[in-house]
């Protein structure tokens, strides 16, 4: 919020992972089925509201997550999840379980992103609201409105004010 009001950034978000800097990985169970040994593991990222706007990741189907506390049991999935876990079916409205304990309904499908490196095909990725799974170690993503060096200075200033860095 502090970054957005400064005017040097057009968007700012917090997440537990981001493209080319992967985060948490877990196996997935679909609609209560046992976790699949042969299915690929999925990246699982907790995000704040502006994450998809900052990274310009489009929504392909369904709806965006709500960040007003009402969507703790909802997730977005990428197209790779749809291909791997729901071949020939629409994942919208289906339940997915991950980490062996977290259960949520798929409300939207977003575009794939390159998660580990540029040459590799995108793998499955689940996005959940940050408040549903807050973490101590996060990534701060910023989209600068103009000069990135000015935006970097604003970011350092805001982090110092929040007593996050010295």
């Amino acid at each position: 919020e502090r970054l957005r009001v400064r005017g040097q950034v057009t968007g700012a978000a917090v997440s537990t992972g981001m493209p080319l800097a992967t985060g948490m990985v877990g196996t997935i169970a679909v609609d209560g089925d046992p976790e699949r040994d042969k299915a690929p593991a999925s990246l699982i990222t907790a995000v704040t509201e502006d994450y998809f706007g900052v990274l310009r990741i489009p929504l392909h189907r369904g709806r965006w997550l709500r960040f007003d506390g009402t969507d703790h049991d909802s997730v977005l999935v990428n197209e790779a999840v749809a291909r791997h876990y729901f071949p020939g079916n629409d994942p919208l409205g289906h339940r997915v379980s991950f980490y062996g304990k977290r259960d949520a309904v798929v409300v939207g499908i977003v575009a794939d992103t390159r998660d580990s490196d540029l040459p590799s095909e995108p793998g499955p990725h689940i996005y959940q609201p940050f408040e549903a799974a807050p973490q101590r170690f996060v990534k701060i993503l910023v989209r600068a409105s103009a000069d990135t060096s000015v935006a970097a200075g604003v970011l350092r200033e805001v982090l110092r004010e929040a007593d996050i860095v010295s």
Side-chain angles (χ1 to χ4, degrees):
E1 293 297 323
R2 291 180 187 177
L3 283 169
R4 278 186 234 127
V5 300
R6 297 291 176 101
Q8 299 300 319
V9 300
T10 57
V14 173
S15 71
T16 57
M18 59 185 249
L20 303 178
T22 59
M24 306 296 284
V25 177
T27 55
I28 298 174
V30 175
D31 290 331
D33 288 343
E35 293 179 311
R36 303 176 186 185
D37 293 333
K38 296 180 183 176
S42 176
L43 289 170
I44 302 164
T45 302
V47 301
T48 58
E49 188 169 5
D50 283 350
Y51 179 87
F52 300 98
V54 168
L55 293 176
R56 296 186 177 158
I57 300 172
L59 179 70
H60 286 183
R61 292 192 309 282
R63 66 167 175 85
W64 291 112
L65 292 169
R66 293 185 207 106
F67 293 89
D68 59 2
T70 62
D71 250 359
H72 279 91
D73 295 328
S74 300
V75 292
L76 298 178
V77 299
N78 70 347
E79 292 286 353
V81 167
R83 287 190 302 275
H84 290 293
Y85 293 96
F86 300 92
N89 295 311
D90 187 355
L92 293 178
H94 286 271
R95 297 195 78 72
V96 294
S97 300
F98 45 99
Y99 297 142
K101 60 183 177 185
R102 184 96 166 80
D103 190 48
V105 174
V106 177
V107 297
I109 303 164
V110 297
D112 289 335
T113 59
R114 303 287 177 171
D115 295 309
S116 57
D117 57 51
L118 293 176
S120 299
E121 287 298 314
H125 204 141
I126 294 175
Y127 301 93
Q128 60 184 328
F130 188 82
E131 62 268 6
Q135 302 291 318
R136 291 184 57 189
F137 300 100
V138 298
K139 291 157 179 56
I140 298 172
L141 298 90
V142 176
R143 179 164 293 279
S145 55
D147 185 350
T148 56
S149 63
V150 173
V154 170
L155 175 60
R156 279 191 293 277
E157 183 181 317
V158 167
L159 293 175
R160 277 192 206 98
E161 290 171 2
D163 198 25
I164 294 173
V165 295
S166 54

